[in-house]
Amino acid sequence: MKMSNMLISTLREVPAEAEIDSHKLMLRAGMIRKMASGIYNYMPLGLKVLKNVEDIIREEMNNAGAQEFLASAIIPAELWQESGRWGAYGAEMFRLKDRNDRDFCLGPTHEEVFTDIARNEIKSYKQLPLNLYQIQTKYRDERRPRFGVMRSREFVMKDAYSFDKDQDGLDISYNKMRDAYIKIFERCGIVAKPVDADTGAIGGSGSAEFMVKSEVGEDDVVFCTNCDYAANIEKAPSTPEKAEKEAYKEINKIETPNVRTIEDLIKFFNTTEKKFAKTLIYNADGKIVAVMVRGDREVNEVKLSNALGGVVDLSMASAEEVMKATSAQVGFAGPINLKVDTLLVDKEVANMYNFIVGANETGYHFENVNYGRDFEGIVGDYRNITEGENCPVCGGKITISKGTEVGHIFKLGTKYSEAMNAKFIDENGKEVPFVMGCYGIGVTRTMASIIEQNHDENGIIWPLSVAPYHVNVIAVNIKDEMQMKVANEIYEELKALGVDVIFDDRNERAGVKFKDSDLMGIPMRITVGKKVTEGQVEFKLRTSEVENIKIEEVVARVKEEFEKNKISIR
Amino acid sequence: MKMSNMLISTLREVPAEAEIDSHKLMLRAGMIRKMASGIYNYMPLGLKVLKNVEDIIREEMNNAGAQEFLASAIIPAELWQESGRWGAYGAEMFRLKDRNDRDFCLGPTHEEVFTDIARNEIKSYKQLPLNLYQIQTKYRDERRPRFGVMRSREFVMKDAYSFDKDQDGLDISYNKMRDAYIKIFERCGIVAKPVDADTGAIGGSGSAEFMVKSEVGEDDVVFCTNCDYAANIEKAPSTPEKAEKEAYKEINKIETPNVRTIEDLIKFFNTTEKKFAKTLIYNADGKIVAVMVRGDREVNEVKLSNALGGVVDLSMASAEEVMKATSAQVGFAGPINLKVDTLLVDKEVANMYNFIVGANETGYHFENVNYGRDFEGIVGDYRNITEGENCPVCGGKITISKGTEVGHIFKLGTKYSEAMNAKFIDENGKEVPFVMGCYGIGVTRTMASIIEQNHDENGIIWPLSVAPYHVNVIAVNIKDEMQMKVANEIYEELKALGVDVIFDDRNERAGVKFKDSDLMGIPMRITVGKKVTEGQVEFKLRTSEVENIKIEEVVARVKEEFEKNKISIR
């Protein structure tokens, strides 16, 4: 396309609304525009990239034997009531009523819909395995939409659902998706590593998230520096640090006026965090629950929720609830004389000696407390693993990075098929529930992640595979007839070959054109300037130096890049 | 794809929910499944056709210089409040609130959004003209969803919006779209004629609907049997039939007990419908309005609404409202002593002599009533044109057919740009509003219309251009090694060429395979049966006889069909 006819919306200024590089660059390059909080419009340039990413996903999904489907975004409440998630989904679900006052939601995900499809369309094991996928707009009313399309409320997702006759079949389907995802992210030009993920208390038998390392990632990902182990911190098991054995001392109540935080306590008792156990009070679906971890540890709320059998609504207890449970102000909670529905004790705490806890009395703590002698609870792993701890697989050292989830594969098993009575006739003539898997890719988030991993101070650096345009042909001086003629010929020749090419024929200074080209991240730039009189043009890759090339060789040079990148010109 | 791996959902029975052929066939061929009233899921087969139709639209839109865009489906209420349509859209708009209680709708159309984009992104006349389009899911909470995807509540639409600096520019943009639409429908294999359409009271300067003739169409389309004139009945001007001149007679009140309908009156007065004028009472946005037409005519509510300056909510008055306006029960309304806000009189009525009207008194009519002498009102064209009337262009005879609107092009002018203060700087440095056009195609409805126009008793007859698969290779006996080998070779060869081919390798009788192939509407069928031992296979077009062809010539025969249809194999 000729740029004089295009809607070019590059911005020189960094928009105030953007916090991270990909968001800034998507706005500056004119790829997206905000419609409302977490809701974006895709401008022509952005949509082209989105479609390219979608096409890569579609191709690999088809190669893996999956079939494309398209479900409605509006879903009747009844399906969600059947699975039990209508209530469970909470405020994140956009809900609406039609003119007859019937309840619907805008699909945040489609397990229910595809389980419904399967129970209606699949009668026999002979029709299995089956994997249906869609590339579709999803809706989640996030509490805190942010980072542009990285966490938005209306976004494009690829979701797939596999149906197998047994667990072995599911394992095969799951591994096919795992392999396909690895190819997809590779082709998109990003490093996305599959890491072990939590499956939830009532979840399935296995799950992995595809994580891209990112400073602004909202997940903490645990990697072993020695072996291949990688897991979401939600899932990674912690190993209790061994406390030095001591003889039990006598318990002692100490007046600790205004000493509420761990920092205060360390000063007051002149000891280390490792001698304290903190007791945190939660409201878990209306029940009051306490969890104890060592003073320097963080509670892992996913582990906590799983231990409680799956919690929909988990939040720190209110000051009032704390007062009711501890008979004290916030800051003095402890396990002794605590009035809660459940007390969970991290296994590290259960192995500590003569430690300090709140006394459930404002202004007091107990010292020399010991698990078993002074209190009891449900012992388990309720804390986050920390940097430098031992790898749960090989014992090597753990490192933790921020990451963003771009994909998720999940062995659902029979969770939905049982809840929704979705069955088929097996080889023995028996009705059995489908064994299911589900597989998601955040398509718009993948697009943003590509930029996070591929940019410099001048703009985006698109991998050729997803670039909105492969080549930008620039005429330096549009009033120079020869420059325009040669530029136009190169443009037309590339177009005829099937290369996605733009021709910057705008009446702008060359500097502006170069800046726009770099900002938009076009992989190849052909500049037709003064040297055209010597039969030469400039060829430049986005991040390399200018090459002077004979006019008649420049198209071959473009083709060479396609070959190098193993991408066929359409 | 091999059919043994595909989700095939053909049905032998005609589903009870379907009334029209396209709906029946889309269900029977396994293209769509109902999720809720007017909300459908697209099964793999249906989605393939949908994508093919989309691709044709995309190609022609791009050829016409339009640029693809993708706006969000969720739109903030504020934009609609600016244009004044938040209130005006009524119950057809799906509305929802987010977790912060902000109002949104699911876009039924996107004029506001694109006007907003233009005012933010386009500063100067130099950036014009511009045409932005999207292929996107739209939401309309229809009062009566029906006919499958023909009138559904969640549907795919191509909507485009053009921005020009003046009316001349708009005319060019509009005509480009008109030409593109003609090509699109032609390529989709349907006859869709552009017909004059109503632009509404505050609408723009021109509009055409692309109509396909259809017995189940919800529009009446007026065609001239002599010239090219074609218009929606909403728009087509009527020509008053000349009444024979008579001398005014004395007005006379007649007792007409229980004579309420035109049929009753004809009997009672022993005359024809042409001697009566009926007076219909409406509630138009809360105002009570009467409209008079000749006894045998139908009121045209669009003309009525336009005459009143554009009515949002037009309905027949309630019995109570009629009583208030006429002081009589329903059935005795007339123009004399009528208490309404406005009285509209069709020009035909104004030219009648000594006619009969209700007396606004239960059980009474007036005879020998004459316009001007006995009552006055606003005279205009308020009725539907009827079969056999004169063409408003050439005077030829009119014929009326049912039609379905598959596309609509509309010169909006400055309606939205003025309401939303969307302006650019013109050549003279002055701020002026964009001159806009909008252009829609019902993509899913087009798909259904293709089937309406292309099917027989055995199933769908897809035009090659949109067929889900071009060729179906059938092995008659999958236990016959030679048949399977040859069928597989043909399948692989066609696939390698880029032909969209399926291989029916299912363990089913040949009859079942043939029936499914015809039902699904695959244009070409290659049957590998017993004659394979003689080096022959069968080639069959969907609606032609079987041709016996040498194995080595069958691929060339397929290519020949592509050439005949001027379609390039991808």
Side-chain angles (χ1 to χ4, degrees):
Chain A
M1 194 160 194
K2 291 190 181 175
M3 284 178 76
S4 55
N5 300 326
M6 276 168 66
L7 175 60
I8 305 286
S9 295
T10 50
L11 306 172
R12 291 286 163 261
E13 304 290 312
V14 179
E17 68 181 273
E19 297 169 66
I20 63 169
D21 288 335
S22 60
H23 189 193
K24 285 176 194 167
L25 287 170
M26 286 178 88
L27 288 168
R28 284 191 53 210
M31 293 178 66
I32 56 170
R33 287 293 183 263
K34 185 173 158 180
M35 178 89 279
S37 170
I39 298 174
Y40 288 86
N41 292 324
Y42 289 84
M43 308 272 286
L45 197 77
L47 183 59
K48 286 207 73 164
V49 178
L50 181 59
K51 294 264 173 211
N52 289 342
V53 174
E54 285 182 9
D55 282 346
I56 288 175
I57 294 174
R58 185 171 283 120
E59 227 176 275
E60 294 299 339
M61 290 301 292
N62 292 346
N63 286 346
Q67 289 168 69
E68 194 171 357
F69 195 97
L70 183 62
S72 64
I74 294 187
I75 308 174
E78 288 79 4
L79 278 186
W80 291 79
Q81 282 153 355
E82 264 192 81
S83 73
R85 290 208 295 178
W86 181 252
Y89 221 93
E92 208 180 87
M93 193 189 250
F94 277 110
R95 291 158 209 260
L96 72 164
K97 284 177 187 287
D98 73 358
R99 61 161 75 217
N100 301 315
D101 221 36
R102 269 191 71 182
D103 283 311
F104 294 88
C105 71
L106 296 181
T109 175
H110 274 68
E111 281 80 5
E112 283 80 358
V113 170
F114 282 82
T115 307
D116 181 55
I117 292 290
R119 71 180 169 186
N120 292 330
E121 306 296 332
I122 308 174
K123 305 295 171 207
S124 156
Y125 72 95
K126 290 181 200 160
Q127 294 169 274
L128 299 177
L130 194 71
N131 185 330
L132 297 173
Y133 77 97
Q134 58 180 352
I135 297 175
Q136 195 220 30
T137 305
K138 293 277 188 290
Y139 298 88
R140 291 184 193 168
D141 197 359
E142 296 279 351
R143 185 189 301 271
R144 211 153 75 95
R146 61 196 297 209
F147 302 146
V149 302
M150 198 68 105
R151 180 175 287 273
S152 52
R153 302 200 289 174
E154 172 171 341
F155 58 99
V156 179
M157 185 166 153
K158 187 285 299 172
D159 47 330
Y161 305 87
S162 68
F163 301 90
D164 279 283
K165 57 181 183 172
D166 53 25
Q167 185 67 35
D168 288 350
L170 170 58
D171 290 346
I172 295 169
S173 296
Y174 180 89
N175 287 330
K176 271 191 190 167
M177 285 297 102
R178 194 177 188 280
D179 294 345
Y181 276 34
I182 290 171
K183 282 184 205 149
I184 287 166
F185 293 119
E186 249 177 40
R187 285 183 62 186
C188 287
I190 52 174
V191 180
K193 205 177 152 64
V195 310
D196 269 9
D198 178 66
T199 54
I202 39 169
S205 52
S207 171
E209 289 164 343
F210 284 76
M211 287 283 184
V212 292
K213 282 194 189 179
S214 157
E215 277 171 42
V216 298
E218 298 194 331
D219 288 281
D220 287 303
V221 187
V222 174
F223 296 94
C224 177
T225 53
N226 183 51
C227 75
D228 259 354
Y229 181 74
N232 192 310
I233 199 162
E234 292 178 346
K235 160 91 174 177
S238 68
T239 315
E241 190 180 349
K242 273 198 184 135
E244 218 159 303
K245 198 165 179 172
E246 297 176 20
Y248 283 2
K249 295 183 192 162
E250 201 177 325
I251 193 167
N252 203 5
K253 187 152 102 181
I254 310 273
E255 199 177 346
T256 53
N258 292 319
V259 177
R260 286 162 200 263
T261 66
I262 290 289
E263 291 72 40
D264 294 344
L265 285 164
I266 290 169
K267 265 191 212 155
F268 186 89
F269 284 95
N270 191 24
T271 180
T272 72
E273 291 169 319
K274 298 185 182 178
K275 288 304 282 183
F276 298 93
K278 53 187 176 190
T279 306
L280 289 107
I281 318 285
Y282 283 87
N283 182 323
D285 288 340
K287 301 237 168 192
I288 300 301
V289 172
V291 58
M292 295 183 73
V293 295
R294 203 174 73 179
D296 57 339
R297 303 303 195 187
E298 271 176 17
V299 170
N300 182 315
E301 294 189 351
V302 171
K303 292 178 181 176
L304 178 60
S305 166
N306 289 346
L308 296 169
V311 176
V312 173
D313 229 339
L314 184 73
S315 59
M316 294 302 296
S318 66
E320 206 179 328
E321 286 164 338
V322 170
M323 177 62 88
K324 221 171 145 188
T326 67
S327 317
Q329 289 172 15
V330 171
F332 301 97
I336 300 166
N337 301 324
L338 185 64
K339 283 164 288 196
V340 293
D341 293 302
T342 309
L343 172 62
L344 302 174
V345 182
D346 188 69
K347 52 188 175 179
E348 198 170 51
V349 172
N351 287 320
M352 283 161 63
Y353 295 92
N354 300 321
F355 51 96
I356 299 160
V357 300
N360 292 330
E361 189 180 337
T362 305
Y364 289 92
H365 279 80
F366 286 123
E367 61 174 6
N368 302 329
V369 171
N370 288 283
Y371 182 78
R373 183 189 72 178
D374 303 321
F375 69 97
E376 284 188 331
I378 302 168
V379 175
D381 177 7
Y382 308 122
R383 69 166 178 95
N384 284 338
I385 195 170
T386 56
E387 186 92 25
E389 262 186 63
N390 293 338
C391 168
V393 171
C394 76
K397 285 281 163 259
I398 280 303
T399 165
I400 299 176
S401 304
K402 290 276 174 201
T404 299
E405 178 195 325
V406 288
H408 196 167
I409 56 178
F410 202 108
K411 293 183 188 175
L412 291 170
T414 56
K415 174 172 156 55
Y416 291 92
S417 49
E418 276 180 2
M420 295 179 64
N421 198 30
K423 296 182 175 172
F424 65 97
I425 309 285
D426 74 3
E427 286 96 329
N428 307 315
K430 246 182 67 185
E431 273 211 323
V432 292
F434 297 104
V435 182
M436 291 173 56
C438 72
Y439 317 93
I441 291 180
V443 183
T444 35
R445 177 180 285 188
T446 296
M447 184 159 94
S449 298
I450 297 171
I451 300 176
E452 283 293 323
Q453 293 195 358
N454 298 278
H455 70 275
D456 62 14
E457 66 282 9
N458 297 320
I460 304 169
I461 304 168
W462 289 117
L464 196 57
S465 56
V466 297
Y469 296 97
H470 303 124
V471 181
N472 186 2
V473 179
I474 294 177
V476 170
N477 179 0
I478 65 162
K479 273 145 201 156
D480 183 311
E481 266 180 44
M482 189 171 178
Q483 285 184 22
M484 282 298 274
K485 182 170 165 288
V486 170
N488 195 54
E489 279 167 5
I490 295 170
Y491 165 70
E492 292 291 348
E493 191 176 343
L494 288 171
K495 207 166 69 166
L497 272 177
V499 173
D500 224 333
V501 55
I502 39 175
F503 176 15
D504 197 344
D505 61 340
R506 292 177 300 166
N507 187 12
E508 296 279 3
R509 284 177 299 111
V512 169
K513 296 182 181 185
F514 295 156
K515 274 210 158 65
D516 276 346
S517 189
D518 281 358
L519 178 56
M520 296 192 294
I522 314 302
M524 295 179 246
R525 191 172 90 193
I526 297 171
T527 307
V528 184
K530 281 184 188 160
K531 285 199 196 116
V532 75
T533 54
E534 301 158 33
Q536 283 202 328
V537 294
E538 288 179 4
F539 177 89
K540 187 181 176 308
L541 295 175
R542 173 66 177 76
T543 52
S544 304
E545 293 303 304
V546 163
E547 307 167 31
N548 288 306
I549 285 193
K550 282 188 195 158
I551 293 170
E552 60 273 23
E553 285 171 6
V554 75
V555 169
R557 183 66 190 84
V558 169
K559 284 189 197 166
E560 198 185 309
E561 281 306 310
F562 277 92
E563 279 156 29
K564 248 192 242 170
N565 286 278
K566 292 184 187 124
I567 290 169
S568 57
I569 302 173
R570 268 163 295 189
Chain B
M1 194 158 193
K2 292 189 180 175
M3 282 178 77
S4 55
N5 300 327
M6 276 168 66
L7 175 60
I8 305 286
S9 296
T10 50
L11 306 172
R12 292 286 165 261
E13 304 289 311
V14 179
E17 67 182 273
E19 297 168 68
I20 63 169
D21 288 334
S22 61
H23 189 193
K24 286 177 194 166
L25 287 170
M26 286 177 88
L27 288 169
R28 285 191 53 209
M31 294 178 65
I32 57 170
R33 288 295 183 261
K34 184 172 158 181
M35 178 90 278
S37 170
I39 298 175
Y40 288 87
N41 292 325
Y42 290 83
M43 309 270 286
L45 198 78
L47 184 59
K48 285 207 73 163
V49 178
L50 180 60
K51 294 265 173 208
N52 290 341
V53 174
E54 286 181 8
D55 282 347
I56 288 175
I57 294 173
R58 185 170 282 121
E59 226 175 277
E60 294 299 339
M61 290 301 292
N62 292 346
N63 286 346
Q67 289 168 70
E68 194 171 358
F69 194 96
L70 182 62
S72 63
I74 295 187
I75 309 175
E78 288 79 5
L79 278 185
W80 292 79
Q81 282 153 355
E82 264 192 81
S83 73
R85 289 209 293 179
W86 181 252
Y89 221 94
E92 208 180 88
M93 194 188 250
F94 277 111
R95 290 157 209 259
L96 73 164
K97 283 178 187 287
D98 74 358
R99 61 161 76 216
N100 301 315
D101 221 36
R102 270 191 72 183
D103 283 312
F104 293 89
C105 71
L106 296 180
T109 175
H110 274 69
E111 281 80 7
E112 283 80 358
V113 170
F114 282 82
T115 308
D116 182 55
I117 293 289
R119 71 181 167 184
N120 292 331
E121 305 296 332
I122 308 174
K123 305 296 171 206
S124 155
Y125 72 95
K126 290 180 198 161
Q127 294 170 274
L128 300 177
L130 193 71
N131 185 330
L132 297 174
Y133 76 98
Q134 57 180 352
I135 297 175
Q136 195 221 30
T137 305
K138 293 276 190 287
Y139 299 88
R140 290 184 193 168
D141 197 359
E142 296 279 351
R143 184 187 303 270
R144 212 152 75 95
R146 61 196 297 209
F147 303 146
V149 301
M150 199 67 107
R151 180 175 288 274
S152 51
R153 302 200 287 175
E154 172 169 340
F155 58 99
V156 179
M157 185 168 154
K158 187 286 299 174
D159 48 330
Y161 305 87
S162 68
F163 301 89
D164 279 282
K165 57 181 184 174
D166 53 26
Q167 185 66 36
D168 287 351
L170 170 58
D171 290 345
I172 295 169
S173 295
Y174 179 90
N175 287 329
K176 271 191 190 167
M177 285 296 102
R178 194 177 188 279
D179 294 345
Y181 276 34
I182 289 171
K183 281 183 205 152
I184 287 166
F185 293 119
E186 251 178 38
R187 285 183 61 185
C188 287
I190 52 174
V191 180
K193 203 178 152 67
V195 310
D196 270 9
D198 178 66
T199 54
I202 40 170
S205 52
S207 172
E209 289 164 343
F210 284 76
M211 288 282 186
V212 291
K213 282 193 190 179
S214 157
E215 277 170 41
V216 298
E218 299 194 329
D219 287 282
D220 287 302
V221 187
V222 174
F223 296 96
C224 177
T225 53
N226 183 50
C227 75
D228 258 353
Y229 181 73
N232 192 311
I233 199 163
E234 292 178 347
K235 161 91 175 178
S238 67
T239 315
E241 189 180 350
K242 273 197 184 134
E244 217 159 304
K245 196 162 183 176
E246 296 176 20
Y248 284 0
K249 295 185 191 161
E250 201 175 323
I251 193 167
N252 203 5
K253 186 151 104 181
I254 310 274
E255 200 179 345
T256 53
N258 292 319
V259 177
R260 287 161 199 260
T261 66
I262 290 291
E263 291 71 41
D264 294 345
L265 286 164
I266 290 170
K267 264 192 212 158
F268 186 91
F269 285 95
N270 191 25
T271 178
T272 73
E273 293 169 318
K274 299 185 181 179
K275 287 305 280 183
F276 297 94
K278 53 187 176 190
T279 306
L280 290 106
I281 318 285
Y282 282 87
N283 182 323
D285 288 342
K287 301 235 168 193
I288 302 300
V289 172
V291 57
M292 296 183 72
V293 294
R294 205 174 75 180
D296 56 339
R297 302 304 195 186
E298 270 175 18
V299 170
N300 182 315
E301 294 190 352
V302 171
K303 291 178 181 176
L304 177 60
S305 166
N306 289 345
L308 296 168
V311 177
V312 173
D313 228 340
L314 185 74
S315 58
M316 294 302 296
S318 66
E320 206 179 328
E321 286 164 339
V322 170
M323 177 60 89
K324 221 170 144 189
T326 66
S327 317
Q329 289 172 15
V330 172
F332 301 98
I336 300 166
N337 301 325
L338 184 66
K339 284 166 288 201
V340 294
D341 294 302
T342 310
L343 172 62
L344 302 174
V345 182
D346 188 70
K347 52 189 176 178
E348 198 170 51
V349 171
N351 287 321
M352 283 162 63
Y353 295 93
N354 301 322
F355 51 97
I356 298 160
V357 300
N360 293 328
E361 192 180 335
T362 304
Y364 289 91
H365 279 79
F366 286 123
E367 62 173 7
N368 300 330
V369 171
N370 288 283
Y371 181 79
R373 184 190 72 176
D374 302 321
F375 69 98
E376 285 189 330
I378 303 168
V379 175
D381 176 7
Y382 307 122
R383 69 169 178 93
N384 284 339
I385 195 171
T386 56
E387 186 91 25
E389 263 187 61
N390 292 337
C391 168
V393 171
C394 76
K397 286 280 164 260
I398 280 304
T399 165
I400 298 176
S401 304
K402 289 277 175 201
T404 299
E405 179 194 325
V406 288
H408 196 167
I409 56 177
F410 201 109
K411 293 184 188 177
L412 291 170
T414 56
K415 174 172 155 53
Y416 291 92
S417 49
E418 276 180 1
M420 295 178 64
N421 199 30
K423 296 181 174 173
F424 64 97
I425 309 286
D426 74 2
E427 286 96 328
N428 308 314
K430 246 183 68 186
E431 273 210 323
V432 292
F434 295 104
V435 182
M436 290 172 58
C438 72
Y439 317 94
I441 291 180
V443 183
T444 34
R445 177 180 284 188
T446 295
M447 185 159 93
S449 298
I450 296 170
I451 300 175
E452 283 293 324
Q453 293 196 358
N454 299 278
H455 70 275
D456 63 13
E457 66 283 8
N458 298 320
I460 304 168
I461 305 169
W462 289 117
L464 195 57
S465 57
V466 298
Y469 296 97
H470 302 124
V471 180
N472 186 2
V473 179
I474 293 177
V476 170
N477 178 1
I478 66 161
K479 274 147 201 158
D480 183 310
E481 266 181 43
M482 189 170 178
Q483 285 184 22
M484 282 299 274
K485 183 172 165 285
V486 170
N488 195 54
E489 279 167 5
I490 294 170
Y491 165 71
E492 292 292 346
E493 191 175 344
L494 288 171
K495 208 166 68 166
L497 272 176
V499 173
D500 224 333
V501 56
I502 39 174
F503 175 14
D504 197 342
D505 61 340
R506 292 177 299 166
N507 187 12
E508 296 279 4
R509 285 178 299 110
V512 170
K513 295 182 182 185
F514 294 156
K515 274 209 157 67
D516 276 346
S517 189
D518 281 359
L519 178 56
M520 295 193 293
I522 314 302
M524 296 179 245
R525 192 172 89 194
I526 297 170
T527 308
V528 184
K530 282 184 187 160
K531 286 198 196 119
V532 76
T533 54
E534 300 158 34
Q536 283 200 330
V537 295
E538 287 180 4
F539 177 90
K540 186 181 178 306
L541 295 176
R542 173 65 177 77
T543 52
S544 304
E545 293 304 304
V546 163
E547 307 167 32
N548 287 306
I549 284 193
K550 283 189 195 155
I551 293 170
E552 60 273 22
E553 285 171 6
V554 75
V555 169
R557 182 68 189 84
V558 169
K559 283 190 196 165
E560 197 185 309
E561 281 306 310
F562 277 92
E563 279 156 28
K564 247 192 240 170
N565 285 278
K566 290 183 188 128
I567 290 170
S568 58
I569 302 174
R570 266 162 295 187

